[in-house]
């Protein structure tokens, strides 16, 4: 079963908003360049292989693992892709297509460059809705389909993978992704075993947060214990999300704002 790590942007100290979505909520997933390099070094020390740049169902025994990057921030090319390529690695980049060519996000030429360099490009929806799982089936479908078509027109290749924005996964989100032509959908649910939903494979990922040490990220690839711990925490949060709705989102933002105000 593949083990997939979920990263976001890599930004210099004090310049969190330079790449990706602005604000303290997004910043908690952003690493500084030296930290990201240390993560890659730690992963390289224990990883049995290079990260996979393709996905084959039934890789259970192959120790496959992947590095994925959500949102399509401008740091995808530099430093992220540069640092991956120093090791001969390639990553999976999921793009919020409405943000292309806007401040903090990839330009279309940068996206083409990323693809030419061998990285995998997928959809992260058009507009990155706050809660995709609460959108109508029609809107979910257009978020996936229009984003896929936009990427295909920019890159001239088939786009078959995507990742769920904001971690708001549901059965309906998977069904709309499959209907829009995606064959592989990454969630933010910390699971290793892929699931099938129609023609679409659903694959969980383990999120890397700011402040997570390089060894803590790397050990996710090797040991089931930290993966189980993240799964337990995720299950708790998911319950809160389902019970709290908007209140949960406000509470989460307040929590992180206070966390950032602390010395
Ligand atoms: Zn996102």
């Amino acid at each position: 079963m593949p083990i997939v790590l979920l990263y976001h942007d890599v930004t210099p100290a004090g310049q969190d908003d330079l790449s990706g979505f602005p604000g303290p909520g997004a910043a908690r997933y952003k690493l500084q360049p030296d930290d990201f390099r240390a993560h890659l070094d730690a992963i390289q020390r224990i990883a049995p292989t290079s990260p996979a740049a393709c996905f084959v169902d039934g890789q259970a025994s192959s120790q496959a693992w992947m590095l994925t990057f959500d949102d399509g921030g401008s740091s995808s090319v530099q430093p992220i892709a540069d640092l991956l390529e120093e090791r001969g690695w390639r990553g999976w980049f999921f793009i919020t297509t409405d943000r292309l060519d806007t401040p903090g996000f990839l330009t279309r030429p940068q996206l083409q460059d990323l693809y030419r360099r061998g990285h995998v490009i997928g959809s992260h929806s058009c507009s990155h809705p706050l809660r995709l799982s609460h959108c109508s089936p029609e809107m979910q479908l257009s978020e996936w389909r229009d984003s896929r078509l936009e990427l295909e027109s920019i890159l001239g290749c088939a786009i078959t993978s995507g990742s769920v924005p904001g971690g708001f996964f549901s059965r309906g989100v998977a069904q709309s992704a499959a209907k829009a032509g995606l064959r592989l959908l990454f969630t933010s649910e910390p699971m290793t075993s892929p699931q099938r939903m129609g023609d679409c494979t659903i694959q969980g990922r383990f999120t890397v947060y700011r402040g997570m040490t390089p060894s803590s990220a790397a050990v996710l690839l090797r040991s089931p214990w930290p993966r189980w711990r993240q799964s337990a925490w995720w299950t708790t949060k998911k319950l809160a999300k389902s019970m709290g709705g908007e209140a949960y989102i406000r509470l989460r933002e307040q929590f992180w704002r206070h966390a950032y105000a602390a010395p």
Side-chain angles (χ1 to χ4, degrees), residues 8 21 70-71 96 124 128 165-166:
H8 288 76
F21 289 100
D70 274 9
D71 294 341
T96 310
H124 195 48
H128 207 289

Side-chain angles (χ1 to χ4, degrees), residues 10 59 118 163 178 188 216 219 240:
V10 175
Q59 284 179 317
S163 72
S188 305
S216 297
V219 80

Side-chain angles (χ1 to χ4, degrees), residues 67-129:
L67 297 175
T68 65
F69 301 87
D70 274 9
D71 294 341
S74 55
S75 64
S76 303
V77 172
Q78 203 285 322
I80 294 173
D82 289 348
L83 289 171
L84 293 177
E85 290 169 29
E86 279 179 12
R87 294 160 174 77
W89 293 357
R90 297 296 182 273
W92 295 61
F93 292 86
F94 296 104
I95 311 300
T96 310
T97 51
D98 284 357
R99 298 290 179 145
L100 286 165
D101 292 323
T102 67
F105 290 85
L106 289 171
T107 64
R108 283 170 168 77
Q110 283 176 324
L111 179 64
Q112 290 168 331
D113 179 46
L114 201 57
Y115 174 68
R116 272 196 298 268
R117 287 159 61 172
H119 300 279
V120 183
I121 307 298
S123 165
H124 195 48
S125 80
C126 293
S127 69
H128 207 289

